Amino acid sequence: MPGPYSDDDDDAGLVAKDAAGDNAAALSVSEISAALKRVVEDRFGFVRIRGELSGVKRAASGHLYLSLKDENARIDGVMWRGNAQRLGFQPEDGLEVVVTGKLTTYPGRSNYQVVIDRMEIAGEGALLALLAKTKARLEAEGLFDPARKRRLPFVPRVIGVVTSPTGAVIRDILHRLADRFPVHVLVWPVLVQGQGAAEQVAAAVRGFGAIAPGGPVPRPDLVIVARGGGSIEDLWSFNEEIVVRAVAASPIPVISAVGHETDTTLVDFAADLRAPTPTAAAEIAVPVREELAAQLAELALRQRRAVARPLQLGRERLAARAERLPQPQALFSPHSQRLDQSAERLRRALVDRTRLAESQLQRSGGRLSLPLLEARLGRAKERLAGLARLHASLNPDAVLQRGYVRVTGADGATLTTRADAAAQAALTLHFRDGGLEVAPLEGGRPIAAPARARSAPKPPPPEQGKLL
């Protein structure tokens, strides 16, 4: 039986012709593409597709382009900017997701694609896999290095809190701070769950770090990022890379207090310290004021004791040494005894000396009789008279009374020779009634000088002999 395009067909030709009674007119490419588009969109107006992300790319326009694949097939997908901005996680290659949207065709390339309205991670296992992958990548960059951790201030003056302003978390933190050590608290309200939460938390951390010191708004000394407990999905905003990087780059020390003690997020690794709960974060942030005051009082008491201890030890050592020293009475007793003995010997010596003097006086007084004293006085007078006569006979001026002259030189010495007189510059002639000065000899004769009367020398008083 000949086919529709056999050589036996009389209607076959080079030019397309409409057959009689044929109501299937030829369609254009655009018409068939549009028809296919309507069929696909009408048949698959709402679909949910599970698959692994591949070739994820975010365009400059903000649209997200990707592919979904499994072991046997692959389908392209696009997510427009508005929906892409509301994603609660960062799509990455290899992540298994469930997307919701509608199928459509793209006539320009004769293929079909899914327009994604919503994207979710396919199960908790896939979410944990994404978490592990993100953690490994950030850890390789050094964001979780313990060497980057900073010490928290001992008593912060201002504490910044990034959390929801309406939840129980902020009330617990404020209440705990008020009980322990009231400080100035700045609250930066943010969403802690859902679309946009990660961006708000990251902006709050960066905002606290951007506050200038000394400005109208006090700069926090410490930042607490807090949220209550929840599932891994509820806490996912604190696993987002944007939040982790903001916490790691914060110039202010950060305490992470996200979830309960068993909950762990990537922010915990990037923060300077992780608190098991928000209340515990408040306890870590400040000390107890009463305990601090008690410690200060104890230190002050120990300081006073430390200052007084050397004095006390000195007193004890002095007392111990004083006990080993001999008594003053024992030290002075020998000297006092020798003093008493010396005083007694002095008294006896004075008494003996007085008795001896009295005895000698009595013996001498017995020899001092009046006749004996007169005889001795007479003999003394005779000796004195003899000495006076001898003195008068030996006086060189005694012969002046008989007309003799005594010649003296300039030094007052008596001259006895002519040669001695010729050698003198001036001579003095002593007469009975005075002296006469003459000039040196000239031509063998003395030249008279102006007479200067001198009184006759007085004879010396007669020497008195000892009476006794």
Side-chain angles (χ1 to χ4, degrees):
M1 181 177 182
Y5 300 103
S6 65
D7 294 338
D8 296 336
D9 191 349
D10 294 337
D11 296 332
L14 296 177
V15 179
K17 298 178 181 179
D18 293 335
D22 189 0
N23 58 0
L27 301 176
S28 66
V29 175
S30 298
E31 290 174 340
I32 192 62
S33 296
L36 290 172
K37 182 178 178 66
R38 287 193 299 271
V39 171
V40 171
E41 291 181 353
D42 292 342
R43 174 65 179 83
F44 302 99
F46 176 83
V47 293
R48 282 173 54 85
I49 306 174
R50 179 170 182 161
E52 179 182 325
L53 292 178
S54 176
V56 178
K57 181 177 65 174
R58 190 180 293 271
S61 60
H63 305 324
L64 187 65
Y65 296 94
L66 51 88
S67 295
L68 293 170
K69 66 179 183 177
D70 57 15
E71 296 83 355
N72 303 313
R74 175 190 183 100
I75 184 173
D76 292 336
V78 61
M79 194 173 194
W80 307 126
R81 181 178 60 184
N83 293 327
Q85 291 177 344
R86 291 193 293 270
L87 280 175
F89 62 96
Q90 182 67 33
E92 297 181 359
D93 289 355
L95 180 63
E96 188 174 8
V97 297
V98 174
V99 299
T100 302
K102 63 180 180 179
L103 285 179
T104 185
T105 63
Y106 182 55
R109 290 189 300 178
S110 298
N111 62 356
Y112 63 93
Q113 62 184 7
V114 58
V115 178
I116 303 171
D117 296 329
R118 181 178 177 185
M119 182 184 299
E120 300 169 317
I121 297 176
E124 187 171 335
L127 195 62
L128 293 176
L130 176 61
L131 178 62
K133 185 177 180 180
T134 306
K135 179 183 177 183
R137 178 166 51 82
L138 297 180
E139 187 173 14
E141 295 183 19
L143 269 63
F144 304 154
D145 189 355
R148 300 180 69 257
K149 310 297 183 181
R150 293 161 294 186
R151 296 184 61 182
L152 304 182
F154 180 65
V155 181
R157 294 173 298 177
V158 180
I159 297 178
V161 180
V162 179
T163 190
S164 172
T166 59
V169 171
I170 187 60
R171 292 195 299 269
D172 293 342
I173 292 177
L174 295 177
H175 179 71
R176 201 59 173 165
L177 291 175
D179 288 344
R180 292 174 63 86
F181 201 109
V183 294
H184 190 172
V185 178
L186 296 178
V187 180
W188 197 301
V190 295
L191 293 175
V192 294
Q193 181 178 344
Q195 300 291 337
E199 289 75 11
Q200 291 189 18
V201 172
V205 174
R206 291 193 296 265
F208 275 135
I211 296 177
V217 178
R219 177 185 174 93
D221 302 312
L222 179 66
V223 173
I224 299 176
V225 178
R227 187 203 188 283
S231 64
I232 186 172
E233 297 180 43
D234 297 335
L235 304 179
W236 189 256
S237 297
F238 298 92
N239 291 320
E240 290 290 346
E241 182 175 344
I242 186 174
V243 178
V244 176
R245 292 189 180 277
V247 171
S250 173
I252 303 173
V254 178
I255 296 178
S256 173
V258 178
H260 296 306
E261 187 171 359
T262 57
D263 298 325
T264 302
T265 62
L266 296 184
V267 169
D268 298 335
F269 299 99
D272 297 287
L273 187 67
R274 175 185 181 269
T277 62
T279 303
E283 295 176 355
I284 295 173
V286 295
V288 179
R289 183 170 58 180
E290 288 75 10
E291 294 179 358
L292 188 60
Q295 292 178 2
L296 292 176
E298 177 65 20
L299 291 176
L301 179 60
R302 291 174 59 185
Q303 182 183 32
R304 291 193 296 270
R305 289 176 178 173
V307 172
R309 184 58 179 168
L311 299 177
Q312 182 64 26
L313 291 176
R315 293 191 187 98
E316 293 175 358
R317 294 192 187 102
L318 180 60
R321 292 174 181 174
E323 291 178 356
R324 292 194 295 268
L325 291 175
Q327 296 296 325
Q329 184 177 0
L331 290 175
F332 298 134
S333 293
H335 301 286
S336 299
Q337 188 174 2
R338 285 196 296 270
L339 180 61
D340 294 340
Q341 293 175 356
S342 300
E344 181 64 20
R345 290 173 58 189
L346 178 60
R347 186 186 65 79
R348 292 177 181 177
L350 290 175
V351 172
D352 294 343
R353 180 63 178 170
T354 302
R355 290 176 180 175
L356 180 60
E358 289 178 352
S359 177
Q360 291 176 350
L361 182 59
Q362 290 176 359
R363 288 196 302 269
S364 299
R367 294 194 301 268
L368 293 177
S369 61
L370 183 58
L372 181 58
L373 291 175
E374 290 179 355
R376 294 184 64 181
L377 183 59
R379 289 194 296 271
K381 287 181 178 181
E382 290 178 0
R383 286 198 302 272
L384 181 60
L387 291 174
R389 289 191 298 271
L390 179 60
H391 178 269
S393 63
L394 296 177
N395 187 358
D397 292 332
V399 296
L400 299 180
Q401 301 296 330
R402 296 195 301 271
Y404 293 94
V405 176
R406 183 167 63 88
V407 181
T408 60
D411 56 356
T414 301
L415 305 176
T416 59
T417 64
R418 182 178 182 279
D420 295 336
Q424 298 293 322
L427 299 175
T428 302
L429 303 179
H430 296 275
F431 297 92
R432 179 184 65 181
D433 57 351
L436 178 65
E437 293 184 358
V438 295
L441 294 177
E442 182 179 339
R445 292 180 300 174
I447 299 175
R452 183 171 59 87
R454 291 186 179 180
S455 59
K458 296 181 180 180
E463 183 180 358
Q464 297 182 359
K466 295 180 179 180
L467 298 179
L468 299 179

